[in-house]
Amino acid sequence: MTRSIWKSTATKSNFPVLSENLETEIAIVGGGITGITAAYLLARSGKKVVLLEAGALGGGTTGDSTGNLYAMVDKRLHHIQSKWDKETASKVAQSRAQAVNLVEELVNRYEIDCSFKRVPWYLFSETEKKDKTIEKEIEAAKDYGLPIEELHELPIPVKVSTAIKVENQAQFNPAAFVRGLAEQIDSANCRIFENSEVHHIEKKEELVLSTSSGTVTAKKIILATHTPKGIYGLQTALYPYREYAIAARLKSGDFPDGIYWDTEADFHTSMRTYSKGSDNYVLVLGGHHKVGQEDDYSRFFDKLDENARRYFDVEEIEYRWSAQHYKPADGLPYIGESTDDNIYLATGFSTDGLTYGVLAAMILDDQLNGRENAWRDLYKASRFTPVKSAKNFIKENINVAKQYLKDLPGKAEVDSLEEIGPGQGKVMEIEREKWAVYRDDKGELHCQSAVCTHMDCIVDWNDAERSWDCPCHGSRFKATGEVIEGPAFSPLDKRNLNKKE
Ligand SMILES: Cc1cc2nc3c(=O)[nH]c(=O)nc-3n(C[C@H](O)[C@H](O)[C@H](O)COP(=O)(O)OP(=O)(O)OC[C@H]3O[C@@H](n4cnc5c(N)ncnc54)[C@H](O)[C@@H]3O)c2cc1C
Ligand code: FES
């Protein structure tokens, strides 16, 4: 089973299930870093808030992240500068640094036990081939007043040609931060419910959110669900990718604190340490593919294991997991009011969303309180940027269009149930319909329609996570069909094998 180090080690939260009908000013859907920080800030400013989380707080992508906080971005600041301009890239760095400062302030104010510390961030090339990237990032970072240094070796055992070091970035345990902050939210103004999945949002004069055991009627909603639930035009500008992670317990070796990013490697693109008691871990992340578009998902873990053992004295790979992120078409996240009145979004964070999530909460807090915010227009969800988005928009939407062709007759993976082994899932064609069929470890079959309930793409079996993943906009479903994440609200439709025979 896959499980992240943070979800496995952070103290559990304990909020009730929604079992009544409530009215509130603002309903927040999602209790990751975005939702909880927004709930904290809004409740502090006197707003009445109800937060509904489908599972456990921090149990989404926040608890599957690397736990790094930094002003830079995954896509590199110099790319933002060339796509947009110097001023925009500078604002990105400034706004992100402000969000990291807020995390530090909250950790200190409430003594949140989440191993927060300031550490340097490094980006390095292994060969001269990628030195240009580093040089460009150094030039860009100088312009934004970041404390940088150029290096040609690093304090970890990897090959280095050139590196940039930026001091004073940060790391923490993201699940512990979210759960710790939730405990500090003013409970007179904000009620939090866990295991309370929103199945439906009725958009009348007021907005009504339904779970299986209650409702919340709200004037405004924040969809802090990583990607917006339901159908939004914005989904054509959000591209879902998966990435893989391991946490290896070390036998020996001194691995200095820091955020280490490799420009060249696919299977150790990001590395950091974490200590728990006397155990020292190194986290190694990498592997990257569009959701639902792989043949062999498990191979990513094998490559990460191999690389961790090559560089470090590994006792045991104790945790393995994978997670999802959404790339925005024009390189910046979408934060603010959606095309639906009174519904607010915070999405398109790429792999930088611990910082962007906090920044989104700060922007939404100002917006919903009618205050000015210096970054609001830069990130606004309704912006239209055809030129800056064009390249990604065309490439990614052609890719989505191709996924719909999988619904054509004859495009099934197997012809008979006997070809599906224990623990496997396959797409089959039964009576001219695509079924997602899973055989559990005991040999029992679980059948459902393979048609994604979001917008009808055909799902793909993910052997590493035992899930059905949709290649179009990233919805994921359990082997037995229930929603895990993504824009879909409803589970895959059940199918009954006996009825078809
Ligand atoms: C492998 C990987 C590593 C990363 N590492 C970093 C990093 O080091 N630094 C960084 O800044 N970013 C990182 N990111 C990105 C970052 O993790 C995310 O952008 C961020 O956690 C998003 O937070 P969120 O609160 O918006 O979403 P989430 O944490 O996913 O929270 C959304 C919540 O909404 C809930 N939800 C969904 N649907 C419903 C519903 N219908 N009803 C109720 N609740 C619902 C979910 O259960 C979930 O808890 C990484 C991403 C990946 C994939
Ligand atoms: S996620 Fe949109 S069709 Fe599946």
Side-chain angles (χ1 to χ4, degrees):
M1 196 182 113
T2 63
R3 191 149 175 84
S4 81
I5 187 167
W6 315 121
K7 287 182 188 171
S8 308
T9 58
T11 308
K12 299 215 170 355
S13 43
N14 188 19
F15 290 92
V17 175
L18 178 74
S19 56
E20 57 194 302
N21 299 329
L22 294 175
E23 287 192 17
T24 189
E25 227 175 323
I26 300 167
I28 298 178
V29 188
I33 197 158
T34 308
I36 286 296
T37 314
Y40 167 82
L41 293 173
L42 288 162
R44 191 178 71 173
S45 70
K47 294 281 179 201
K48 296 288 178 204
V49 179
V50 172
L51 184 142
L52 300 170
E53 162 55 48
L57 299 183
T61 315
T62 297
D64 283 335
S65 68
T66 327
N68 293 325
L69 300 160
Y70 41 85
M72 284 62 61
V73 289
D74 166 39
K75 208 46 190 144
R76 321 283 180 241
L77 283 173
H78 69 265
H79 280 146
I80 304 272
Q81 185 172 313
S82 57
K83 195 179 262 286
W84 292 78
D85 51 46
K86 215 171 189 165
E87 195 193 339
T88 303
S90 173
K91 280 184 178 173
V92 167
Q94 282 173 45
S95 57
R96 288 177 54 79
Q98 224 176 60
V100 179
N101 290 344
L102 176 63
V103 174
E104 184 174 36
E105 192 190 313
L106 295 172
V107 169
N108 290 339
R109 182 179 309 158
Y110 299 116
E111 298 180 353
I112 299 174
D113 183 9
C114 63
S115 311
F116 179 95
K117 54 179 146 180
R118 289 284 181 174
V119 298
W121 171 92
Y122 302 90
L123 175 72
F124 63 97
S125 56
E126 293 184 30
T127 58
E128 285 175 6
K129 206 173 66 190
K130 282 290 173 111
D131 281 358
K132 267 263 161 296
T133 304
I134 308 293
E135 285 158 18
K136 283 186 192 162
E137 198 65 358
I138 290 173
E139 277 315 302
K142 270 187 199 157
D143 285 341
Y144 313 135
L146 295 167
I148 61 148
E149 197 184 327
E150 182 176 338
L151 304 171
H152 294 280
E153 56 184 33
L154 289 182
I156 56 166
V158 288
K159 205 172 142 217
V160 177
S161 173
T162 304
I164 166 175
K165 175 182 180 184
V166 183
E167 288 288 4
N168 209 29
Q169 307 309 302
Q171 274 173 347
F172 65 167
N173 173 335
F177 171 75
V178 164
R179 292 171 193 176
L181 183 60
E183 295 295 338
Q184 303 302 329
I185 295 179
D186 179 356
S187 57
N189 285 341
C190 175
R191 295 185 67 187
I192 297 177
F193 298 93
E194 290 183 294
N195 300 305
S196 302
E197 184 176 2
V198 174
H199 296 301
H200 180 66
I201 299 176
E202 202 169 319
K203 296 164 192 165
K204 297 193 291 200
E205 205 166 302
E206 292 203 293
L207 300 153
V208 185
L209 301 91
S210 308
T211 71
S212 53
S213 51
T215 62
V216 176
T217 303
K219 293 196 168 49
K220 295 183 191 299
I221 293 178
I222 297 176
L223 289 178
T225 44
H226 202 198
T227 189
K229 298 298 282 189
I231 297 178
Y232 286 93
L234 187 59
Q235 274 143 358
T236 58
L238 284 174
Y239 313 123
Y241 283 81
R242 284 196 83 71
E243 197 175 331
Y244 292 76
I246 58 170
R249 187 156 40 79
L250 299 178
K251 232 186 273 181
S252 67
D254 184 20
F255 188 112
D257 285 340
I259 301 165
Y260 297 91
W261 284 6
D262 191 333
T263 47
E264 286 170 68
D266 276 344
F267 291 97
H268 56 275
T269 35
S270 169
M271 292 174 275
R272 67 163 285 188
T273 43
Y274 176 66
S275 299
K276 183 141 180 76
S278 57
D279 289 333
N280 293 322
Y281 295 89
V282 57
L283 275 65
V284 183
L285 285 91
H288 187 79
H289 64 81
K290 270 205 94 172
V291 174
Q293 300 189 26
E294 263 299 317
D295 293 331
D296 176 7
Y297 294 82
S298 300
R299 76 187 172 93
F300 292 97
F301 289 128
D302 298 341
K303 287 296 292 182
L304 287 174
D305 288 12
E306 196 184 306
N307 271 6
R309 290 181 196 280
R310 178 181 316 151
Y311 294 118
F312 308 105
D313 191 13
V314 171
E315 173 87 42
E316 190 193 351
I317 310 280
E318 213 168 294
Y319 304 97
R320 292 180 173 81
W321 69 99
S322 65
Q324 198 145 306
H325 61 97
Y326 296 86
K327 286 189 189 180
D330 63 11
L332 297 182
Y334 301 98
I335 300 166
E337 202 157 9
S338 74
T339 43
D340 281 339
D341 287 347
N342 300 318
I343 299 190
Y344 294 76
L345 310 175
T347 188
F349 296 158
S350 244
T351 51
D352 305 315
L354 295 177
T355 304
Y356 273 140
V358 172
L359 181 61
M362 293 160 79
I363 293 173
L364 293 171
D365 173 41
D366 282 341
Q367 192 166 357
L368 292 170
N369 276 297
R371 294 188 296 250
E372 286 294 311
N373 182 292
W375 326 115
R376 178 175 156 174
D377 284 347
L378 177 64
Y379 297 112
K380 73 174 175 209
S382 57
R383 70 178 179 268
F384 178 57
T385 54
V387 176
K388 294 180 182 72
S389 306
K391 196 167 146 213
N392 288 331
F393 185 89
I394 294 166
K395 184 183 98 187
E396 296 282 357
N397 284 294
I398 288 176
N399 175 285
V400 169
K402 279 189 192 156
Q403 305 312 315
Y404 280 100
L405 299 178
K406 289 186 184 158
D407 199 16
L408 292 177
K411 295 247 172 188
E413 290 174 314
V414 290
D415 296 323
S416 78
L417 295 168
E418 285 67 45
E419 292 174 67
I420 306 172
Q424 283 184 340
K426 298 279 180 199
V427 173
M428 284 187 71
E429 197 163 291
I430 299 181
E431 293 193 352
R432 278 172 289 149
E433 193 197 17
K434 296 280 187 309
W435 283 24
V437 183
Y438 165 62
R439 190 187 292 279
D440 66 24
D441 290 332
K442 291 185 189 133
E444 197 182 325
L445 287 167
H446 303 264
C447 300
Q448 45 260 319
S449 163
V451 177
C452 174
T453 53
H454 177 233
M455 286 174 75
D456 296 347
C457 262
I458 298 297
V459 294
D460 188 60
W461 178 247
N462 175 336
D463 61 340
E465 296 288 354
R466 289 199 184 185
S467 59
W468 297 105
D469 296 1
C470 180
C472 286
H473 314 103
S475 289
R476 296 183 56 241
F477 304 86
K478 290 185 187 168
T480 45
E482 300 82 359
V483 176
I484 301 173
E485 64 181 315
F489 267 118
S490 309
L492 296 174
D493 288 339
K494 292 276 175 224
R495 290 290 178 267
N496 187 340
L497 205 51
N498 298 331
K499 272 195 193 154
K500 294 272 172 188
E501 283 172 346

